[in-house]
Amino acid sequence: MDNMSKKICIIGLGYIGLPTASMFAAHGYNVIGVDIKEELVKNMINGKVPIREPGLETLVQAALKSKRLEVKIKPEKADVFIICVPTPIDDTSKKPELNQVKSATENILPYLQKGNLVLLESTVPPLTTQKIVIPILERNGLKVKEDLFVAYCPERVLPGKILTELVKNDRIIGGIDVRSAEMAKELYKSFVEGDIHITDIATAEMVKLMENVYRDVNIALANEYLKVSEMIGIDVWKAILLANKHPRVNIHFPGPGVGGHCIAVDPWFIVDADSEDTVLIKTARKTNDDMPSFVVNVIENELKDIENPIITVFGVAYKGNIGDTRQSPAIKIISDLSERGFEVRVYDPLVKDFQYELFPLEKAVADSDCIIVLADHSIFNNLDLQAIFSWMRTKKVMDTKNCLSSNWRKAGFDVRVMGNG
Ligand code: SAJ
């Protein structure tokens, strides 16, 4: 069957489902994008794209205009079903919450037909596809490997570069059998320029988690080096760059903590599979989760000689140059500082909605005693530094990401880079 006559039904129009749906539509498939959020679907029909991601609005609007992408609240019969729903963890127990994967799978049951391919893209604990998804799929009498083909195809794209990475990155496909994997490969080949590697389902599930855990543990190591460097009085940023000159070393960078909906969450999926053998993974999680408290203590110490200091937070997104604040370490830092009695004002020109009030630049820094940079937005190096200098009361700046240019010091600010002991 050629692309033109193939129909794909994508369940979940979030950060992965929507770009994926539009990408398939742009490559000739007929795509039904499904989301249970009626408001989201209604807005999308009216051309409003709910996610801020470079190039996405244009791609989605073109796909909708071409009628190759339609958005709906219910699935339809199709050749391929792709599940792209969130898999969060419980805040307290850190246990995976797979309700959305289960209900998305149940929701497609009435529409499944012999010969269909079902793909899971959501990040899941190892063995989820075999132990949870497949038993649900077989409830309506169709037999996997005979009537239905199933593969696990994890997304690997970086927020801020989703569209480029969807096309350029290699992909891992874990099939329940070779035929399923080959069918999935054929589909993704329509737009993936990277290599597509085929394996079994459990390996693919584990590979996805291993990638994000690698980053979490590596960042924890960098954060530990930051604390040691403060103690012994060296610059951790320079030390890491020098260590990375070794051909087999790639230490990541420290910061105020690990945010986002992947790296701070996914390690718990491996812990859930085998709590006993995952001491390192749990320790890394704790190290990164403790960074906001470390930052708050450093700030309190820096400001101890100032009476009733006002603090301005620069950047509340979970990382630089994006507007996404999910699980951002800034949330804990602001709440801890407020609890300790500091007046905190927030400035982030990339963020549209946040649980604390967002101030325009002048109001955010007026009479402020300290700017704390928590996200490395490039825009912070293009601001009117003389104006900021004149608006502030005390000219202190604390840079937790080592991202401010030397112009800040040249403009007269007292810049303290966290980790530069
Ligand atoms: N961070 C550091 N130091 C670093 C790098 C990152 O403190 O050296 C922090 C960031 O500031 C941020 C957090 O870690 O708070 C996570 O940011 P990130 O850029 O490492 O990752 P995400 O969560 O935006 O995207 C990750 C990516 N995974 C990997 O690079 C292995 C992406 O490719 C995945 O698709 C995504 O998770 C996902 O959906 O799983």
Side-chain angles (χ1 to χ4, degrees):
M1 211 187 283
D2 63 15
N3 295 0
M4 298 303 193
S5 53
K6 231 179 200 173
K7 189 162 156 186
I8 305 177
C9 185
I10 299 196
I11 315 294
L13 293 177
Y15 282 79
I16 302 303
L18 186 56
T20 306
S22 325
M23 198 59 93
F24 275 121
H27 288 78
Y29 290 95
N30 290 311
V31 183
I32 306 292
V34 179
D35 204 291
I36 48 168
K37 293 186 198 131
E38 283 184 35
E39 189 69 16
L40 180 144
V41 170
K42 214 183 335 161
N43 284 340
M44 279 203 53
I45 291 169
N46 294 326
K48 276 192 211 140
V49 176
I51 295 160
R52 285 159 65 89
E53 179 64 32
L56 185 62
E57 194 165 286
T58 317
L59 185 72
V60 172
Q61 281 168 355
L64 288 168
K65 203 167 163 217
S66 72
K67 304 250 189 288
R68 291 230 171 264
L69 172 65
E70 282 184 83
V71 286
K72 309 212 160 156
I73 52 167
K74 282 205 169 133
E76 280 181 8
K77 284 187 178 158
D79 301 290
V80 182
F81 292 85
I82 308 181
I83 298 174
C84 303
V85 294
T87 45
I89 47 164
D90 179 82
D91 275 349
T92 326
S93 69
K94 308 293 184 194
K95 287 268 177 204
E97 290 184 336
L98 299 174
N99 325 0
Q100 295 180 71
V101 169
K102 288 182 197 159
S103 63
T105 314
E106 281 160 0
N107 286 347
I108 61 170
L109 275 186
Y111 308 96
L112 286 180
Q113 293 165 292
K114 209 170 151 74
N116 280 168
L117 174 67
V118 180
L119 308 174
L120 178 64
E121 282 212 20
S122 311
T123 306
V124 289
L127 303 176
T128 299
T129 314
Q130 271 137 302
K131 290 195 170 160
I132 294 178
V133 174
I134 289 180
I136 297 177
L137 291 175
E138 287 191 323
R139 270 190 215 158
N140 68 357
L142 291 170
K143 291 249 25 99
V144 165
K145 290 197 256 191
E146 287 168 27
D147 309 318
L148 279 183
F149 302 93
V150 180
Y152 179 67
C153 311
E155 58 84 9
R156 302 169 109 188
V157 288
L158 196 71
K161 288 191 187 160
I162 290 181
L163 294 186
T164 320
E165 293 211 348
L166 256 185
V167 173
K168 300 278 176 204
N169 288 3
D170 280 17
R171 270 196 100 117
I172 309 297
I173 292 181
I176 191 68
D177 58 4
V178 175
R179 183 158 172 208
S180 301
E182 289 295 347
M183 284 167 82
K185 182 174 177 176
E186 206 44 47
L187 192 75
Y188 286 103
K189 249 175 47 187
S190 61
F191 66 80
V192 172
E193 289 173 13
D195 291 334
I196 300 181
H197 309 269
I198 282 181
T199 182
D200 60 274
I201 288 193
T203 304
E205 289 168 337
M206 190 63 185
V207 166
K208 166 68 199 181
L209 299 174
M210 284 162 66
E211 294 164 3
N212 281 355
V213 167
Y214 163 78
R215 217 158 154 77
D216 199 36
V217 173
N218 199 327
I219 296 166
L221 184 65
N223 284 331
E224 202 162 285
Y225 288 155
L226 176 139
K227 292 180 194 167
V228 176
S229 300
E230 290 245 323
M231 190 63 75
I232 63 174
I234 65 157
D235 181 340
V236 73
W237 305 91
K238 282 191 188 141
I240 289 175
L241 285 179
L242 289 173
N244 287 352
K245 298 283 178 204
H246 186 290
R248 285 177 296 283
V249 174
N250 174 25
I251 304 168
H252 289 7
F253 289 97
V258 169
H261 36 103
C262 306
I263 296 201
V265 172
D266 300 353
W268 295 112
F269 293 173
I270 301 192
V271 172
D272 184 63
D274 181 358
S275 179
E276 216 170 284
D277 296 311
T278 42
V279 179
L280 178 62
I281 297 178
K282 283 185 269 195
T283 307
R285 272 287 67 245
K286 180 167 169 15
T287 303
N288 290 335
D289 276 350
D290 286 347
M291 284 313 287
S293 306
F294 177 81
V295 172
V296 168
N297 289 338
V298 173
I299 295 166
E300 196 167 41
N301 191 43
E302 282 289 312
L303 299 180
K304 63 180 184 305
D305 297 330
I306 300 174
E307 214 177 308
N308 298 327
I310 299 176
I311 295 173
T312 309
V313 168
F314 266 33
V316 289
Y318 81 84
K319 64 178 185 178
N321 298 326
I322 62 168
D324 188 340
T325 60
R326 285 178 296 169
Q327 324 254 45
S328 171
I331 299 167
K332 175 138 177 51
I333 292 172
I334 296 167
S335 102
D336 281 9
L337 286 171
S338 310
E339 257 172 43
R340 292 189 197 186
F342 292 100
E343 180 179 337
V344 184
R345 302 201 204 122
V346 174
Y347 171 67
D348 193 324
L350 273 67
V351 170
K352 293 287 159 254
D353 288 310
F354 192 51
Q355 54 249 71
Y356 295 94
E357 186 181 351
L358 294 161
F359 289 77
L361 181 59
E362 184 173 351
K363 286 201 170 128
V365 297
D367 292 328
S368 174
D369 295 289
C370 185
I371 291 173
I372 306 163
V373 181
L374 296 181
D376 44 348
H377 294 332
S378 332
I379 195 174
F380 295 152
N381 284 317
N382 297 322
L383 299 173
D384 183 346
L385 299 186
Q386 275 178 354
I388 297 175
F389 192 87
S390 69
W391 293 325
M392 285 177 75
R393 183 168 56 190
T394 318
K395 324 293 180 181
K396 274 185 181 290
V397 177
M398 159 92 168
D399 181 0
T400 69
K401 295 295 290 184
N402 191 28
C403 63
L404 296 185
S405 73
S406 54
N407 289 343
W408 281 78
R409 278 207 179 96
K410 283 186 203 141
F413 290 97
D414 170 15
V415 181
R416 151 108 155 81
V417 177
M418 195 176 75
N420 180 355

